[in-house]
């Protein structure tokens, strides 16, 4: 009897799933038809504005009424995508002329649920609404959304602020994210910062002035942004590396930065980290082994060759990669290949064989 009950329960669940899928198909089809219908209306209206070379109050009222609904905003987005192919300059002008509509929509989308609210900053970012203008209502709305529990909402709002290009608003947004306690991947933050459309010098200065107020996790995101943006921060990064108050994770990031941007005063410190045989803090040696590729000289070569004998695989691998990057060949490293350390010779041979294979593939592709 128990088996029969389980079977009937299983059949009921399956039937429910089938009914649910059928209902979803009809709902989505109905939604798509409404979007297509709205798309035709938007296209007619926008083309009329383009022909008249003006956006009147009637058209703005039409947009304010329609765009309060997410489905209509989706249709509007698709319409702009299509029209941009034929009228790129006119669409850019049109979007600038209807910026007041998006100011009105701020409060409307703050009232909606998280998924719907997230779509609004996406549109702001995509069409660069308010870029370079710092419209206070739009900026304030993005700062509210950047504190939302939804990752999509937070990220879209942060990217919208980056497009707007106000440095102080970006710093405020980072503080809000940092203090919210919600998980936000560091790469998403650094990528948003890299898209900043405003004054990068002002943004960098503000980030450095507030650096100590951020959590370690946010500091790492900011350092990643500096590493991928410019080498103008070498002095400050070096000071951070040599400070006694700096944590290990931050120092790792500083070493990576100095491995991308050459800075002579940092070289002796990097050598000290590379020569450190403390297996508890092997990360310092491993990261430094990679960073030394930015400091080509005979001493660097010898240090990296010694690191090939390390008992730690990551240290050996990074050292071999740096030696390859510096352009050393089998002949230059003959003592490694003829030596007694099989692990050192194998990992170096692997790196050089991989390089040779890639060069051969590139030659075949060019042919």
């Amino acid at each position: 009897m128990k088996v029969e009950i389980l079977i009937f329960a299983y059949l009921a669940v399956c039937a429910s799933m089938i009914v649910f899928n059928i209902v979803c198909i009809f709902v989505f089809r109905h939604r798509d038809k409404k979007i297509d219908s709205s798309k035709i209306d938007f296209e007619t209206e926008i083309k009329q504005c383009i022909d008249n070379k003006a956006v009147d109050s009637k058209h703005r009222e039409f947009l304010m009424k329609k765009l309060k609904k997410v489905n209509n905003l989706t249709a509007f987005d698709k319409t702009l995508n299509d029209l941009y192919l034929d009228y790129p300059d006119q669409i850019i002008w049109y979007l600038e002329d209807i910026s007041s509509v998006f100011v009105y929509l701020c409060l409307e989308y703050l009232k909606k649920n998280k998924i719907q609210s997230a779509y609004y900053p996406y549109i702001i970012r995509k069409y660069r609404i308010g870029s370079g203008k710092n419209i206070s209502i739009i900026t304030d709305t993005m700062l509210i959304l950047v504190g939302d529990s939804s990752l999509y909402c937070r990220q879209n709002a942060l990217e919208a602020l980056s497009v707007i290009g106000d440095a102080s608003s970006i710093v405020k947004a980072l503080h809000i994210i940092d203090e919210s306690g919600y998980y936000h991947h560091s790469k998403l933050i650094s990528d948003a910062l890299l898209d900043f459309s405003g004054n990068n010098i002002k943004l960098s200065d503000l980030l450095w002035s507030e650096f100590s107020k951020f959590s370690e996790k946010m500091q790492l995101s900011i350092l990643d942004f500096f590493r991928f943006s410019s080498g103008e921060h070498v002095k400050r990064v070096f000071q951070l590396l040599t400070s006694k108050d700096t944590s290990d994770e931050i120092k790792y990031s500083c070493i990576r930065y100095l491995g991308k941007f050459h800075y002579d005063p940092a070289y002796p410190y990097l050598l000290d980290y590379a020569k450190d045989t403390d297996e508890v803090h092997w990360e310092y040696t491993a990261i430094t082994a990679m960073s030394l590729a930015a400091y080509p000289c005979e001493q660097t070569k010898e240090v990296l060759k010694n690191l090939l004998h390390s008992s730690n695989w990551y240290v050996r691998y990074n050292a071999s990669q740096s030696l390859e990057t510096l352009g050393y060949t089998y002949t230059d490293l003959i003592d490694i290949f003829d030596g007694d350390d099989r692990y050192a010779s194998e990992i170096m041979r692997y790196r050089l064989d991989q390089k040779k294979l890639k060069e051969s593939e590139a030659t075949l592709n060019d042919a």
Side-chain angles (χ1 to χ4, degrees):
M1 187 65 182
K2 290 182 179 180
V3 174
E4 292 176 351
I5 292 173
L6 288 174
I7 292 172
F8 282 122
Y10 176 75
L11 291 173
V13 171
C14 292
S16 300
M17 291 176 65
I18 292 170
V19 171
F20 175 78
N21 288 333
I22 292 172
V23 171
C24 284
I25 289 170
F26 282 109
V27 169
F28 291 148
R29 281 186 179 178
H30 177 68
R31 185 199 64 180
D32 291 342
K33 286 180 180 179
K34 287 185 70 175
I35 289 175
D36 291 338
S37 176
S38 298
K39 188 171 174 289
I40 294 171
D41 294 338
F42 282 125
E43 187 173 342
T44 303
E45 287 279 338
I46 296 172
K47 279 186 176 180
Q48 187 175 349
C49 291
I50 291 172
D51 293 338
N52 295 336
K53 297 181 179 180
V55 177
D56 55 25
S57 58
K58 185 179 178 181
H59 180 72
R60 289 191 181 90
E61 289 173 3
F62 166 78
L63 291 177
M64 288 177 184
K65 181 180 178 181
K66 287 284 187 180
L67 297 182
K68 288 190 291 185
K69 296 182 179 180
V70 175
N71 286 345
N72 287 339
L73 191 60
T74 303
F76 182 70
D77 180 21
K78 291 183 177 181
T79 305
L80 290 175
N81 281 334
D82 294 343
L83 290 177
Y84 185 82
L85 298 174
D86 298 321
Y87 311 98
D89 295 334
Q90 291 87 340
I91 291 301
I92 292 172
W93 156 80
Y94 170 78
L95 286 167
E96 289 178 355
D97 220 21
I98 62 166
S99 58
S100 59
V101 173
F102 290 95
V103 172
Y104 167 79
L105 292 174
C106 287
L107 294 177
E108 294 295 328
Y109 277 87
L110 282 176
K111 300 173 187 175
K112 298 185 182 295
N113 63 49
K114 295 174 183 178
I115 299 300
Q116 292 178 329
S117 294
Y119 193 56
Y120 176 67
Y122 164 78
I123 294 295
I124 296 293
R125 177 191 63 79
K126 181 177 180 180
Y127 295 108
R128 308 185 74 81
I129 306 297
S131 178
K133 296 179 181 178
N134 188 23
I135 302 172
S136 59
I137 297 178
I138 294 179
T139 301
D140 291 345
T141 301
M142 295 304 110
L143 287 172
I144 292 172
L145 293 176
V146 87
D148 196 275
S149 60
S150 167
L151 173 61
Y152 296 105
C153 200
R154 290 200 308 277
Q155 183 63 17
N156 287 347
L158 181 61
E159 290 177 357
L161 286 169
S162 189
V163 163
I164 291 170
D166 179 58
S168 60
S169 297
I170 285 288
V171 175
K172 286 179 185 176
L174 295 183
H175 276 300
I176 291 170
I177 292 173
D178 201 24
E179 294 165 7
S180 68
Y182 298 123
Y183 175 76
H184 204 111
H185 198 284
S186 60
K187 188 177 186 304
L188 293 175
I189 293 173
S190 57
D191 284 351
L193 292 175
L194 287 169
D195 288 335
F196 183 70
S197 66
N199 188 322
N200 276 290
I201 295 175
K202 184 178 180 181
L203 175 62
S204 297
D205 288 342
L206 280 174
L207 288 173
W208 278 117
S209 66
E210 295 286 308
F211 191 81
S212 61
K213 298 178 184 178
F214 289 109
S215 68
E216 182 182 282
K217 183 179 177 182
M218 186 61 73
Q219 288 177 348
L220 290 170
S221 299
I222 293 170
L223 286 172
D224 283 344
F225 160 62
F226 289 145
R227 178 157 54 97
F228 292 117
S229 61
S230 108
E232 296 177 354
H233 311 285
V234 283
K235 289 184 179 179
R236 282 171 164 166
V237 170
F238 178 61
Q239 290 172 358
L240 200 58
L241 175 65
T242 55
S243 171
K244 294 180 180 179
D245 298 327
T246 305
S247 68
D248 288 338
E249 289 294 334
I250 299 297
K251 285 187 177 182
Y252 299 155
S253 186
C254 291
I255 294 170
R256 291 188 182 98
Y257 182 96
L258 295 168
K260 184 173 183 181
F261 301 105
H262 183 105
Y263 187 57
D264 284 332
Y267 185 57
Y269 288 85
L270 295 179
L271 288 179
D272 288 341
Y273 285 126
K275 295 174 182 178
D276 189 356
T277 58
D278 183 4
E279 293 185 4
V280 177
H281 298 97
W282 61 267
E283 294 94 339
Y284 279 107
T285 312
I287 297 169
T288 305
M290 181 72 77
S291 298
L292 283 174
Y295 301 82
C297 66
E298 190 63 28
Q299 187 176 8
T300 296
K301 175 187 174 183
E302 293 304 316
V303 169
L304 290 173
K305 285 169 62 177
N306 287 333
L307 291 179
L308 290 175
H309 302 293
S310 171
S311 60
N312 186 288
W313 183 88
Y314 294 101
V315 174
R316 295 198 306 275
Y317 183 86
N318 288 353
S320 68
Q321 187 169 337
S322 289
L323 286 167
E324 178 212 322
T325 302
L326 290 168
Y328 292 113
T329 63
Y330 290 97
T331 305
D332 298 320
L333 303 171
I334 192 67
D335 53 332
I336 296 295
F337 295 113
D338 288 345
D340 297 329
D341 191 335
R342 179 169 62 89
Y343 296 109
S345 62
E346 282 183 354
I347 201 161
M348 198 65 240
R349 191 182 304 279
Y350 168 77
R351 293 299 313 176
L352 295 180
D353 286 350
Q354 285 291 105
K355 181 181 180 181
K356 190 175 180 180
L357 180 61
K358 289 178 182 178
E359 290 173 349
S360 300
E361 290 176 350
T363 303
L364 290 173
N365 291 333
D366 292 340

